[in-house]
Amino acid sequence: NDGAYTVMYAHAGTAIASDAAVLTAADNQVSVSAQASHPAVLRVQAFEDSNNNGAWGTNEKKLPGAVITLLTREGSVETTHASGVTDAEGIVVLNASAGEYTLRCELPEDYGYSKPGGKDSLTSNMMEDHVERTQELASVVLSEAGEAQVGIGAMKMATLTGTVWQDDNADGLWQDGEP
């Protein structure tokens, strides 16, 4: 049927919606005329912030394996617009239509977020510091044909092991019969 439609096309493996498209039928032929939006780019650099200063230092490692997702929410409906995993260099590049998104980051096992650093930089941590592996950055704005940058600093979490017991005789030693 004749009418206005949205045409989806792929750019770098990401589906991007076109501007308004007009569909007309003539002589049993169908033609589609659409102007594609220029995708916006989000470049994310994940790094191991071993000194917890919120900035990527020259001796600090890049962090592969972080899952980065751009999403929107409308009420209880969550829509993923782009997603990827940081490579060996700690980088992932996501393409999406211009707009405002929530950025979700899930760090690799045994990592938590370092102290926040500056804003709008690949070398500064933009996330809040805590030990949970998954966190969301409330607002990332992408401009048409523009590139935004986000740095994500992480720290290797320590593992504490040992035995907890009730020291019934208060001698500081765990003995048979002490729970």
Side-chain angles (χ1 to χ4, degrees), residues 44-65:
V44 177
Q45 173 70 65
F47 58 93
E48 190 171 322
D49 189 7
S50 57
N51 62 0
N52 194 28
N53 70 350
W56 184 22
T58 56
N59 294 326
E60 292 176 323
K61 300 176 188 175
K62 299 162 186 166
L63 185 64

Side-chain angles (χ1 to χ4, degrees), residues 25-86:
D27 299 326
N28 296 327
Q29 298 288 322
V30 175
S31 65
V32 175
S33 172
Q35 177 166 350
S37 298
H38 298 285
V41 175
L42 175 65
R43 179 178 301 275
V44 177
Q45 173 70 65
F47 58 93
E48 190 171 322
D49 189 7
S50 57
N51 62 0
N52 194 28
N53 70 350
W56 184 22
T58 56
N59 294 326
E60 292 176 323
K61 300 176 188 175
K62 299 162 186 166
L63 185 64
V67 179
I68 309 297
T69 305
L70 278 179
L71 57 100
T72 55
R73 287 192 185 90
E74 193 167 321
S76 62
V77 177
E78 185 176 284
T79 303
T80 297
H81 295 272
S83 186
V85 179
T86 57

Side-chain angles (χ1 to χ4, degrees), residues 81-174:
H81 295 272
S83 186
V85 179
T86 57
D87 62 15
E89 296 298 309
I91 293 175
V92 65
V93 177
L94 303 177
N95 298 294
S97 298
E100 187 171 349
Y101 298 92
T102 296
L103 180 140
R104 178 182 294 149
C105 176
E106 181 179 345
L107 295 174
E109 186 87 20
D110 298 329
Y111 281 89
Y113 296 91
S114 68
K115 180 170 68 173
K119 296 291 183 189
D120 300 323
S121 170
L122 290 175
T123 60
S124 295
N125 181 33
M126 294 183 68
M127 308 302 272
E128 294 298 321
D129 55 333
H130 63 74
V131 297
E132 293 182 28
R133 288 180 45 220
T134 301
Q135 188 179 141
E136 294 181 357
L137 183 60
S139 180
V140 174
V141 177
L142 300 181
S143 302
E144 186 170 334
E147 181 175 307
Q149 301 179 347
V150 172
I152 297 176
M155 293 182 57
K156 188 87 165 159
M157 295 288 105
T159 303
L160 181 63
T161 61
T163 304
V164 176
W165 77 96
Q166 182 175 328
D167 193 5
D168 290 335
N169 61 3
D171 67 353
L173 301 172
W174 183 32

